[in-house]
Every structure is written in C-alpha cells, then in structure tokens.
C-alpha cells in the first residue's frame, strides 16, 4: 500500500519490559507498586505478553482497575481481556410478543 510502512518491533528484554510496565502502570494508577512483593508476577505478566511494547502498554492501562495477579490470570484468553471488560457473554435471544 502506498505510504504505508511496516516496522517490525522486537520483544523487549525482560528488565526493559518490566520497567515499561511499571512506568505505564504508575501513569494510570500513581499508587501502583511494582516492588519486590510482586516482582515475580510483574515479570510473568511481561513474559506472557511476549515482551511486546504495545501489549505491555495495553495491559498497563488495565491496571487501573485490576491487580497484576488478576490481569495475569485473565491472560488465558488474551484477546477477550484486551478488547473489553464484559464479564458475562452477550445473549442474542429475542422474545416475540
């Protein structure tokens, strides 16, 4: 496509991924603590996101309302987590009256 450029973004090294997550999480939730207490969960979250900067940015925005542990648990269905906050499936039943 004319004018379109593809830029491959490599995964971040683990320490840089963790630093990015902490930085972005603090931006949306100033009281976010990414200290030693949850160091393993933060590193696991970044690894589950394959160290991809955009995925980390999107996940950090979810830390406004979720803990790192909750977010990590919900990553079993990655696309559902990043596309919405609906907890129950939508129903499409219509009643004829």
């Amino acid at each position: 496509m004319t004018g379109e450029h593809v830029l491959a973004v490599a995964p971040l090294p683990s320490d840089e991924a963790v630093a990015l997550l902490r930085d972005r999480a603090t931006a949306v939730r100033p009281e976010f603590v990414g200290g030693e207490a949850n160091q393993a969960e933060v590193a696991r979250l970044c690894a589950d996101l394959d160290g991809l900067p955009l995925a980390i940015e999107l996940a950090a925005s979810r830390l406004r309302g979720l803990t790192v542990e909750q977010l990590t648990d919900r990553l079993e269905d990655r696309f559902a987590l990043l596309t919405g906050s609906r907890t129950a499936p939508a129903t499409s039943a219509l009643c004829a009256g």
Side-chain angles (χ1 to χ4, degrees):
M1 176 174 263
T2 304
E4 183 174 326
H5 301 278
V6 176
L7 175 65
V9 178
L12 296 173
S14 180
D15 57 333
E16 290 181 30
V18 167
L20 177 62
L21 180 71
R22 285 190 180 136
D23 181 61
R24 297 306 189 263
T26 303
V28 297
R29 198 171 95 200
E31 71 279 2
F32 176 80
V33 178
E36 288 186 30
N38 67 350
Q39 175 80 16
E41 280 295 318
V42 170
R44 179 177 161 216
L45 176 58
C46 291
D48 287 351
L49 295 169
D50 299 326
L52 296 174
L54 179 57
I56 293 169
E57 296 265 357
L58 292 170
S61 73
R62 294 297 185 157
L63 292 173
R64 179 175 289 138
L66 299 171
T67 67
V68 173
E69 293 79 12
Q70 289 170 326
L71 189 54
T72 303
D73 290 343
R74 292 180 182 199
L75 273 177
E76 289 182 15
D77 188 356
R78 294 178 192 207
F79 300 113
L81 172 69
L82 297 177
T83 58
S85 60
R86 183 177 294 189
T87 57
T91 60
S92 60
L94 297 175
C95 297

